[in-house]
Amino acid sequence: MSIDTLYEAEVAQTEKDHHIPTAGAMTGHILANLKIHQEKLAQAVYYARGPERPFLKKSFSQAIQTENRLFDGLAQLLLDEDEVIPTTTEEFSRYSMLEEHGKFKYLSAKEWLASAVKDFDTQNLFITRAIKLAEKEDKPALQAFLVQQLSWNNRQIRELQAYLGHAPREGLEEEEEDDD
């Protein structure tokens, strides 16, 4: 089979999986979110200004490293499950639900911190769905990995919210209700 034929079959299967969600398809979104989020965090480290910059720089730099490890570990797990993973910039952009933009470089450090809270929360929407799908599809290794990732994301939300003077879920509950 040619690489064109193989890729066409992959795209057709991906479209099918996105209409009837699977743990693999949902986890593909998680990978895309992780990749885009790493770029957003790097943009903030480079450009953020204001008194919150030292905290942001340390926190986001550590998060980039952790997210890079999470991405690699999750990608390996999906490959172990014989799933196809997103690997191109176009695929990451298509499957991510995180918004990125060049104009964001002008956000203040405080705005970046608040944005990161929302991004971690958005990522959690996909992670919790994928955990349920992995359980339903009897994929315990994937489920266990995603539970750890959810825990780490929740820790990031709590720490960033505390720095901003907020309760862990402050400002996040309303958006979840709007999605229903």
Side-chain angles (χ1 to χ4, degrees):
M1 236 187 261
S2 73
I3 63 171
D4 292 329
T5 304
L6 290 169
Y7 187 67
E8 287 172 15
E10 175 192 325
V11 170
Q13 184 64 46
T14 300
E15 287 301 318
K16 181 181 173 188
D17 289 348
H18 286 279
H19 293 293
I20 303 169
T22 64
M26 196 60 65
T27 307
H29 287 289
I30 295 167
L31 284 173
N33 286 335
L34 277 170
K35 188 61 83 176
I36 297 298
H37 199 234
Q38 289 174 58
E39 297 303 321
K40 289 184 73 173
L41 294 174
Q43 186 183 34
V45 168
Y46 297 141
Y47 284 102
R49 294 182 184 150
E52 299 85 4
R53 179 176 165 69
F55 173 81
L56 177 148
K57 187 174 179 182
K58 181 179 179 186
S59 175
F60 284 14
S61 293
Q62 290 171 347
I64 290 168
Q65 292 176 5
T66 300
E67 288 189 352
N68 192 38
R69 284 192 302 273
L70 288 169
F71 182 93
D72 286 337
L74 194 51
Q76 293 296 329
L77 265 174
L78 283 181
L79 293 170
D80 293 345
E81 298 282 349
D82 198 24
E83 298 282 349
V84 176
I85 61 172
T87 55
T88 66
T89 303
E90 188 275 325
E91 290 170 326
F92 295 133
S93 295
R94 185 172 4 133
Y95 299 134
S96 176
M97 295 304 291
L98 302 182
E99 183 184 0
E100 63 176 347
H101 200 286
K103 69 182 178 184
F104 292 168
K105 68 175 66 84
Y106 302 108
L107 293 174
S108 69
K110 188 173 184 177
E111 290 169 321
W112 270 114
L113 292 168
S115 175
V117 167
K118 291 185 186 238
D119 285 346
F120 281 117
D121 196 51
T122 297
Q123 292 180 69
N124 282 350
L125 294 173
F126 290 89
I127 294 170
T128 54
R129 289 177 188 155
I131 289 170
K132 291 175 186 169
L133 290 167
E135 181 180 18
K136 183 179 169 186
E137 297 171 19
D138 194 25
K139 295 181 175 180
L142 180 59
Q143 182 184 9
F145 187 97
L146 292 170
V147 167
Q148 289 297 313
Q149 186 177 351
L150 179 66
S151 175
W152 183 79
N153 276 13
N154 284 337
R155 176 75 44 86
Q156 300 313 299
I157 290 171
R158 181 173 59 85
E159 294 293 335
L160 294 174
Q161 289 278 61
Y163 187 83
L164 293 168
H166 302 154
R169 299 295 309 163
E170 189 174 329
L172 299 175
E173 303 298 335
E174 274 182 42
E175 291 183 15
E176 289 177 2
E177 291 173 10
D178 290 344
D179 290 343
D180 292 337

